[in-house]
Amino acid sequence: MSTSTIATPIHFPHHHQDPRLSSSHPMSYSLPTSAGRKRKAEDEEPSADDRMSTSPSPSLHQRILPAHRITKRQRAGVSGRPLTLPRLLETLDAESLRSVLQTICQRHPGLGAEIEHTAPRPSVASALTVLKQYESALQAAFPFGGNQTSDYAYNRVKSALSNLLEALADFTPHFLPPNETQAAQSLSFLDSATELIHHLPDWDSFQHRLHKQNAYEEISKAWTLVIREAAKRAGGIHVQYGGWDQKLTEHNHQSGGKLREAVNEMSNHLGWIGGQPSTQQHGGRGTDLSSHGYQPPSQVKMAVLGDVRVVINVDKQQRTDFPDDEADNSKPNFVSRYVECWSGANFSVQVFIKKTMVFKSGSIFILLYVDGLVANNAVIKHSRVLSHHNVVYLQNFEGAIKYDGTHWHLQPFLFGEVKHVEEASTPLMNRRRRDGLGSIVVEIHHVTERGFIAPKSDSWDGANRAVSLSEKQFKGSTITHTASYSSKTSYCSRSIIDVDFVDGVDSPFAVFQFQYRSKKALQTLLLIPRTPSPAPPVPLEKRPVESLSVEEMQQLVRQYQSRLVDNEASAKLESTLAQQHIKQKNGVKQENGVKRERDPEMEEILASAYVKKPKTAETVDLSE
């Protein structure tokens, strides 16, 4: 059985063409009619078209390969060269790199600010690592054996001790507000830095012990600053939550009471949070605040009644409140304070409730009055307070909440100035409204919940509400501002609960009153120190020469020259008058009716002594 196959001849490209490119001539395939047929001579003869082509035959035996000239690559000679910058930096250790950067910054001061902005912010861990290195260098510098607190040992470690204290003084301000806004970071650094100061030796010499004493004073001021700023945010809950009050107390004990200032600051601002659990006095009316660690309002530095504290924030910052000595603070459930305000500032009211507070019923009702009108309220269940993750529950009032029948809206509180008008245009006010102007009152009641009720529509809009007061009616009052409201914003849905007052609607168990006034009014009430008047300028002749500028020195020279001329003229006048007095005493008298001739010299002396000469600008060369 015969089979036929297709034989494909091999074609090679033209030797003048790039073998990587396709040939410009189409490739032809020869199809023999039979596999067993022998090729004849005429089969190999080229056609007419092939004879006209100048290209050689693609046959393998007729291909002429071009002779390519092979050139040997010239290699560059081996020579030394410096490393590139990336490779050079890889070889530098941290100490060498710091030395290079410091040298560059000294030569080019403008690069220092660029490095400060580019370098990552130092963390507490990195700063403590550096301080530990300085502490290790200090310990290594002590002599072997002998008294480690002697003057000889101090002289041996003086340089290392100075380096450690300087590093501590440089790192501490970096972790203090306002540069460091996170109180946890600041307190963490101060805790480790104080522990480092504890390890410093107590030298035998009093002069040498001053280093450690000064370090304690500086770190105590740092603790005080951080605690004061931390107390302005959320009542300082996160400070007590981290147990920093206990750590500070332990540091004060180890330092021998040198951190007393910081401990007092902690007690003043945050000591209320760590009070003793309260107990309810059975059979009594309301809550026995004396069992809650209650102190008379005149003895506390914040608005606290038992297990409840109220704070006023102005522009998101807690404001220091001042005692109101004119209020009736004899009631155990009432406290009145003053707080600073200014026009255009938003304010909020924060109520802090301890978990240890005893609820007379299942819930409490907080009622907020602003300028004598109900502005907001909240019902807080006892179970909600107990389930809170912090030791203190926070209820925040940022504004008035209203329902328009479809949506809820919030209008933030805003301080505005009082407008004084004539008596006839003053609107009528009830007594509570009139007595409540310029005040924020928080009442807390024991209540029982009856159930949910449907909200009622209220079209009230307090935006840009201004209160006009009669100057005659409020003459002598210190009221400077009234509460207004910003534009309303959407608010989440709110449930309305109907409640029954356990002790009656007029018997709250805690009442907090804040009288908000301007800074000037508080200074008038002697609650804020007045701004001291600037000291009179010191005369140039009494100032040190080193502190005088070139213009001041020239002015001083001119003053001395003027005084010198005046003194010379006065001396000459006194001498002339003395001579005339001597002549008259010797009998030389003027005859009657005879005019005395003018003395040109005397007139010149009098003119120079009593007539002030105009000052002329002159240049004084002080370089010689």
Side-chain angles (χ1 to χ4, degrees):
M1 181 177 179
S2 62
T3 59
S4 62
T5 60
I6 299 177
T8 304
I10 304 175
H11 294 270
F12 296 90
H14 196 280
H15 71 277
H16 290 295
Q17 297 177 356
D18 192 344
R20 294 170 296 179
L21 304 177
S22 61
S23 176
S24 60
H25 298 281
M27 299 183 69
S28 60
Y29 296 90
S30 176
L31 301 177
T33 58
S34 176
R37 179 186 173 188
K38 294 183 180 180
R39 292 184 297 172
K40 296 181 180 181
E42 59 269 15
D43 294 337
E44 298 181 359
E45 292 181 1
S47 63
D49 294 335
D50 293 337
R51 287 194 299 268
M52 292 297 294
S53 174
T54 59
S55 302
S57 173
S59 301
L60 181 61
H61 65 278
Q62 294 180 354
R63 184 186 178 200
I64 302 176
L65 297 176
H68 295 286
R69 183 178 182 183
I70 300 176
T71 59
K72 190 174 182 179
R73 183 180 177 182
Q74 297 279 340
R75 290 182 176 269
V78 178
S79 61
R81 66 178 185 272
L83 285 174
T84 59
L85 180 60
R87 295 300 183 190
L88 178 61
L89 294 178
E90 289 178 351
T91 63
L92 298 179
D93 56 2
E95 187 64 28
S96 301
L97 189 59
R98 281 194 295 267
S99 178
V100 171
L101 288 177
Q102 289 177 357
T103 303
I104 293 176
C105 292
Q106 291 175 358
R107 295 178 181 177
H108 307 280
L111 295 178
E114 185 67 22
I115 294 177
E116 291 178 358
H117 289 85
T118 306
R121 182 181 178 87
S123 62
V124 175
S126 61
L128 293 178
T129 300
V130 175
L131 293 177
K132 291 292 183 181
Q133 293 175 356
Y134 282 107
E135 185 183 22
S136 300
L138 173 64
Q139 299 298 330
F142 276 96
F144 182 76
N147 186 3
Q148 299 292 319
T149 59
S150 62
D151 292 346
Y152 171 74
Y154 172 80
N155 292 329
R156 288 285 300 270
V157 303
K158 181 179 180 180
S159 178
L161 176 62
S162 177
N163 293 336
L164 173 60
L165 295 177
E166 289 179 0
L168 181 62
D170 292 336
F171 277 110
T172 301
H174 174 77
F175 294 98
L176 299 181
N179 189 61
E180 178 59 62
T181 58
Q182 299 295 329
Q185 297 290 326
S186 301
L187 294 171
S188 177
F189 174 81
L190 293 179
D191 180 37
S192 300
T194 308
E195 191 69 29
L196 188 146
I197 298 176
H198 294 331
H199 297 163
L200 295 178
D202 295 321
W203 304 104
D204 297 339
S205 174
F206 172 79
Q207 187 70 20
H208 299 161
R209 289 198 300 268
L210 290 178
H211 295 294
K212 189 173 183 178
Q213 181 177 350
N214 294 336
Y216 273 129
E217 292 179 359
E218 295 300 324
I219 208 70
S220 179
K221 295 178 182 178
W223 277 96
T224 303
L225 175 62
V226 172
I227 294 169
R228 185 181 298 118
E229 294 299 322
K232 296 179 180 180
R233 299 177 176 88
I237 295 178
H238 49 282
V239 178
Q240 194 276 343
Y241 186 73
W244 296 110
D245 52 346
Q246 299 177 2
K247 294 179 181 179
L248 179 59
T249 303
E250 181 63 24
H251 284 313
N252 183 56
H253 176 72
Q254 287 185 296
S255 65
K258 293 182 174 61
L259 303 181
R260 174 57 56 185
E261 179 183 358
V263 172
N264 292 338
E265 189 72 20
M266 179 76 78
S267 177
N268 292 337
H269 289 278
L270 309 176
W272 165 80
I273 300 178
Q276 298 296 328
S278 60
T279 57
Q280 183 178 355
Q281 192 178 53
H282 297 285
R285 184 178 181 182
T287 303
D288 184 9
L289 296 175
S290 61
S291 62
H292 291 189
Y294 169 78
Q295 293 180 347
S298 59
Q299 300 179 10
V300 297
K301 296 185 178 181
M302 50 189 169
V304 174
L305 289 175
D307 289 339
V308 183
R309 180 187 178 189
V310 179
V311 170
I312 304 297
N313 291 337
V314 182
D315 280 347
K316 299 182 179 181
Q317 293 290 331
Q318 179 183 338
R319 304 306 302 175
T320 302
D321 48 69
F322 307 94
D324 183 6
D325 297 332
E326 297 181 358
D328 184 10
N329 292 316
S330 60
K331 300 178 181 179
N333 65 334
F334 177 80
V335 60
S336 180
R337 312 283 290 185
Y338 278 101
V339 67
E340 181 185 354
C341 68
W342 55 89
S343 300
N346 290 104
F347 69 92
S348 61
V349 182
Q350 292 181 329
V351 181
F352 299 92
I353 303 172
K354 285 185 183 180
K355 285 185 176 182
T356 56
M357 176 181 169
V358 176
F359 282 61
K360 192 174 182 180
S361 55
S363 303
I364 60 174
F365 181 61
I366 302 177
L367 197 57
L368 175 62
Y369 292 92
V370 177
D371 285 349
L373 299 177
V374 177
N376 208 331
N377 59 75
V379 178
I380 302 175
K381 295 183 178 181
H382 190 198
S383 58
R384 188 176 181 181
V385 175
L386 294 177
S387 61
H388 201 260
H389 61 279
N390 283 334
V391 296
V392 174
Y393 179 84
L394 168 62
Q395 178 65 43
N396 190 25
F397 297 101
E398 296 181 347
I401 300 176
K402 299 295 179 180
Y403 180 67
D404 60 3
T406 306
H407 301 91
W408 290 91
H409 299 281
L410 169 68
Q411 292 192 262
F413 295 127
L414 183 72
F415 285 126
E417 292 184 356
V418 176
K419 294 183 179 180
H420 296 282
V421 295
E422 297 295 333
E423 179 70 23
S425 60
T426 303
L428 296 177
M429 299 181 183
N430 56 31
R431 181 177 180 182
R432 180 157 193 168
R433 169 68 165 152
R434 184 175 63 255
D435 296 343
L437 289 176
S439 66
I440 301 170
V441 179
V442 176
E443 292 184 357
I444 306 178
H445 301 257
H446 287 293
V447 296
T448 57
E449 300 181 15
R450 299 180 59 182
F452 295 97
I453 59 176
K456 296 181 180 180
S457 177
D458 190 351
S459 59
W460 175 85
D461 187 358
N464 301 321
R465 183 175 65 93
V467 177
S468 300
L469 303 180
S470 170
E471 295 184 2
K472 180 180 179 180
Q473 184 178 3
F474 291 92
K475 186 177 182 180
S477 175
T478 59
I479 296 177
T480 57
H481 293 76
T482 59
S484 182
Y485 298 87
S486 302
S487 300
K488 59 183 179 181
T489 59
S490 59
Y491 191 75
C492 60
S493 179
R494 192 180 190 189
S495 301
I496 305 299
I497 302 176
D498 190 14
V499 298
D500 287 332
F501 293 86
V502 175
D503 301 316
V505 68
D506 296 328
S507 301
F509 72 86
V511 179
F512 299 83
Q513 176 180 275
F514 294 89
Q515 308 274 1
Y516 56 87
R517 300 290 186 269
S518 65
K519 183 178 181 179
K520 185 177 181 180
L522 295 179
Q523 290 176 340
T524 304
L525 296 171
L526 303 180
L527 297 176
I528 297 180
R530 295 179 179 272
T531 304
S533 57
V538 180
L540 296 179
E541 57 269 17
K542 295 184 179 181
R543 290 174 53 185
V545 180
E546 296 80 6
S547 64
L548 297 178
S549 61
V550 177
E551 293 77 8
E552 291 174 340
M553 296 180 69
Q554 293 176 353
Q555 181 181 356
L556 184 60
V557 171
R558 287 192 292 268
Q559 291 179 2
Y560 278 117
Q561 289 178 341
S562 176
R563 293 176 185 176
L564 182 61
V565 172
D566 294 341
N567 293 337
E568 291 178 353
S570 300
K572 190 172 183 180
L573 175 61
E574 292 177 359
S575 176
T576 304
L577 294 176
Q579 292 178 2
Q580 291 184 357
H581 179 69
I582 294 174
K583 291 181 180 179
Q584 292 178 0
K585 190 175 181 180
N586 293 336
V588 180
K589 297 182 180 180
Q590 180 181 359
E591 297 180 359
N592 295 331
V594 179
K595 287 186 178 181
R596 178 180 294 177
E597 297 181 357
R598 287 188 174 183
D599 188 351
E601 183 179 1
M602 188 62 184
E603 292 181 355
E604 183 180 356
I605 293 175
L606 293 174
S608 62
Y610 295 102
V611 179
K612 191 173 184 180
K613 297 181 179 180
K615 294 183 179 180
T616 57
E618 57 181 352
T619 303
V620 180
D621 189 3
L622 302 177
S623 60
E624 297 181 357

